[in-house]
Amino acid sequence: MLTHSLPARHVYEFADAVRQGLTKPGQKELPSKYLYDEVGSALFETICVLPEYGLTRADARLLREHSQEIVDRLPSPIQVAELGSGSGKKTRWILEALSRRQKTYYYPIEISSSALAACQKELGQIDLVSIVGYEQPYLEGLRAVAERRDDGEHLLVLFLGSTIGNFDREAGEEFLREVREILQIGDALLLGTDLEKRVADQLAAYDDPAGVTAAFNLNLLGRINRELGANFDLSRFRHEARWNAIDRRIEMHLRSTRRQCVEVAAAGSRVMFNEGETIWTESSHKYRPHEVVAMAERTGFRCGGQWIDEEWPFAQNLLVSE
Ligand code: AVI
């Protein structure tokens, strides 16, 4: 696979984010994108197969059952870009359906080179599909992909797995607007969104009894120890998942079980924690079907189809650029 990469990301960006997040007055927080180092990504892959976390299976089921119908609604010729491809497993159905009618380029856009490599391994053997990976942030990568297309060639952008739910609602909408600006009329965005469901089911999905999600959350502190020379004692923090009914999102927190002081060498910070104080590490917004349609219309798309899983409320939304 050909890969277009950017220079390695700098430690100081991470240190800066940690310093800002942990010294913020009021609620301490850390950006959820830092959950995904090698250990965090492996733990996330495990979360995806947990019985309590139905999201990934619903996403995959919808693609397996409806890829042909989705592809039949798209213009030709069309190439495929994916934002945050992960291992690429779910994308197989779309690529196979498309390759039945045309030669297809697939551009996975990922900041993780190991995920790009896994994606190549998973999808590299599909007939008539060529893979060109972009090791870049989503929008930069998408701009680069859009620039290389030929006249008259359309683009299908995949943003699966309800990753949009990890943005604040407003930021998610702004992100769709930015994607739309890069696209041309008739191009499409296939957007996966986890839907609201019973609160007990939502909570169990983010606080599984085997403790995988707890390990995923706590690993963020482990990563700060490893990469920024901090001295977090992970046994003094506890994973917590909360349902925020006003903002309709699951929030992950790490609760300090005692009063303690932590040093983060590379950030030049000493951080005090009160007993019971939390660090907010992730939000996972849940949607209503009509809300996604309205969001599409506000950001320059129309909804060209919506498929909802019957077992685990989750929607694939085909947004068409207008
Ligand atoms: C990647 N993202 C959509 C997952 C989610 O459900 O918000 C990340 C995750 N966090 C805890 N479990 C899974």
Side-chain angles (χ1 to χ4, degrees), residues 124-180:
Q125 306 307 323
I126 307 177
D127 271 355
L128 297 179
V129 173
S130 304
I131 308 182
V132 180
Y134 280 75
E135 195 181 328
Q136 292 188 358
Y138 296 154
L139 294 174
E140 272 172 53
L142 188 57
R143 272 186 210 104
V145 168
E147 271 165 26
R148 66 177 276 166
R149 63 166 140 175
D150 292 333
D151 284 348
E153 207 169 66
H154 283 286
L155 207 52
L156 166 65
V157 180
L158 307 177
F159 196 29
L160 305 175
S162 203
T163 302
I164 190 161
N166 297 133
F167 292 82
D168 280 347
R169 248 173 247 276
E170 266 178 29
E173 198 159 318
E174 183 50 34
F175 184 76
L176 292 188
R177 216 167 266 123
E178 287 180 283
V179 169
R180 172 62 192 87

Side-chain angles (χ1 to χ4, degrees), residues 18 21-22 27-36 165-168 206 213-222 224 232 237-242 249-255 273 278-284:
V18 169
L22 295 185
Q27 175 67 61
K28 292 181 169 58
E29 56 185 56
L30 290 168
S32 61
K33 66 177 180 180
Y34 293 112
L35 290 162
Y36 301 90
N166 297 133
F167 292 82
D168 280 347
Y206 292 85
T213 311
F216 172 67
N217 198 6
L218 281 161
N219 174 61
L220 180 51
L221 304 184
I224 296 171
F232 279 104
F237 288 86
R238 201 167 43 75
H239 165 70
E240 199 172 287
R242 298 182 193 164
R249 65 186 181 212
I250 291 282
E251 293 175 5
M252 289 205 313
H253 288 253
L254 289 165
R255 185 178 289 281
F273 289 89
T278 72
I279 312 172
W280 181 11
T281 53
E282 188 191 61
S283 294
S284 212

